């Protein structure tokens, strides 16, 4: 009566069915703290042929849809693995199996809840890492926006500029979030549902 619980049960079932023939790594987190790099991509034709037989892009695409629709917690892992979708190596494949293992373990407990509580107030949270991309030394922007108590919009993306300090990477992330918040405020106003001032954390 007071909330919806959204989850991609059927899609997750299909994902696990397709990935079931491979060794799925059980995990408590979407991605391990192991830096992935372009150096981990196949370096010769034999390695490329081995990886061509694995459905990396197909499985990753399904993970991406689950992330975009109901699972904000998968954002960083999906963003990281997508960088190597054109030429994945064994380490990238193992990281994808870890992501799928995490989805398998949390499919009953991690559901997106849309509730009536909290009114029309927007609250937003922003964070960033600093130069975590081993290849180009780029930082990652991450944010999520709630309307009342319900998540409304979320993002995890690689920043386009090289931040020279942790503070700079945080400001770049904050600027990205501010753009999203302004858009959501304008959207709410166009629906005759103006929001209160936004708190950003």
């Amino acid at each position: 009566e007071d909330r919806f619980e959204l989850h991609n049960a059927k899609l997750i079932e299909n994902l696990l069915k397709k990935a079931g023939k491979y060794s799925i790594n059980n995990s408590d987190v979407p991605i391990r703290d192991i830096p992935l790099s372009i150096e981990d991509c196949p370096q010769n034709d034999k390695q490329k042929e081995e990886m061509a037989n694995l459905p990396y892009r197909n499985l990753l695409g399904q993970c991406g849809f689950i992330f975009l629709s109901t699972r904000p917690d998968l954002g960083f892992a999906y963003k990281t693995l997508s960088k190597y979708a054109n030429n994945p190596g064994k380490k990238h494949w193992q990281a994808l199996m870890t992501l799928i293992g995490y989805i398998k373990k949390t499919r009953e407990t991690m559901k997106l809840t849309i509730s009536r509580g909290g009114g029309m107030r927007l609250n937003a949270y922003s964070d960033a890492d600093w130069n975590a991309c081993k290849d180009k030394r780029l930082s990652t922007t991450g944010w999520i926006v709630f309307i009342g108590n319900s998540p409304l919009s979320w993002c995890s993306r690689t920043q386009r500029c090289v931040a020279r300090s942790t503070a700079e990477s945080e400001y770049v992330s904050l600027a990205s979030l501010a753009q999203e918040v302004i858009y959501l405020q304008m959207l709410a106003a166009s629906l005759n549902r103006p929001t209160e001032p936004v708190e950003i954390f």
Side-chain angles (χ1 to χ4, degrees):
E1 294 182 1
D2 62 344
R3 68 182 183 273
F4 294 101
E5 286 186 350
L6 308 178
H7 58 105
N8 297 101
K10 184 67 175 177
L11 187 59
I12 291 174
E13 184 181 332
N14 291 339
L15 171 66
L16 296 176
K17 188 176 180 180
K18 285 187 178 181
K21 63 181 73 173
Y22 307 101
S23 179
I24 298 175
N25 305 324
N26 290 326
S27 178
D28 295 323
V29 293
I31 191 168
R32 299 286 181 188
D33 189 18
I34 302 171
L36 299 175
S37 168
I38 198 169
E39 295 173 2
D40 302 317
C41 294
Q43 302 297 318
N44 54 55
D45 291 339
K46 183 180 179 181
Q47 292 176 347
K48 289 181 180 180
E49 188 176 341
E50 288 176 0
M51 292 306 302
N53 295 323
L54 298 174
Y56 184 91
R57 294 177 72 173
N58 183 281
L59 296 177
L60 182 62
Q62 292 184 57
C63 294
F65 187 83
I66 295 167
F67 152 62
L68 289 171
S69 55
T70 62
R71 294 290 298 270
D73 56 314
L74 307 181
F76 179 76
Y78 174 70
K79 185 270 305 183
T80 301
L81 296 176
S82 294
K83 292 191 293 186
Y84 309 103
N86 288 331
N87 189 27
K90 288 185 178 180
K91 283 184 71 174
H92 307 131
W93 174 258
Q94 291 168 358
L96 176 59
M97 291 299 102
T98 296
L99 173 59
I100 294 173
Y102 171 78
I103 293 173
K104 179 180 180 180
K105 188 169 184 176
T106 59
R107 61 179 167 170
E108 296 299 329
T109 56
M110 298 292 284
K111 299 177 181 179
L112 190 72
T113 302
I114 308 296
S115 65
R116 298 171 66 176
M120 290 291 292
R121 187 179 185 87
L122 292 175
N123 295 305
Y125 299 82
S126 169
D127 200 3
D129 67 4
W130 182 49
N131 293 357
C133 175
K134 190 176 176 182
D135 300 317
K136 298 182 179 179
R137 298 301 174 189
L138 295 172
S139 305
T140 297
T141 286
W143 49 254
I144 186 166
V145 182
F146 289 83
I147 183 165
N149 298 327
S150 303
L152 177 63
S153 181
W154 51 85
C155 156
S156 179
R157 68 168 67 108
T158 301
Q159 296 180 1
R160 296 179 181 177
C161 58
V162 177
R164 290 171 289 183
S165 68
T166 54
E168 186 175 344
S169 68
E170 295 284 358
Y171 276 118
V172 171
S173 181
L174 189 60
S176 173
L177 173 59
Q179 292 175 351
E180 179 72 8
V181 166
I182 290 170
Y183 161 73
L184 292 173
Q185 285 183 307
M186 293 173 66
L187 177 61
S190 72
L191 298 172
N192 295 319
R193 296 283 186 177
T195 64
E196 300 175 27
V198 182
E199 277 195 288
I200 293 180
F201 301 91

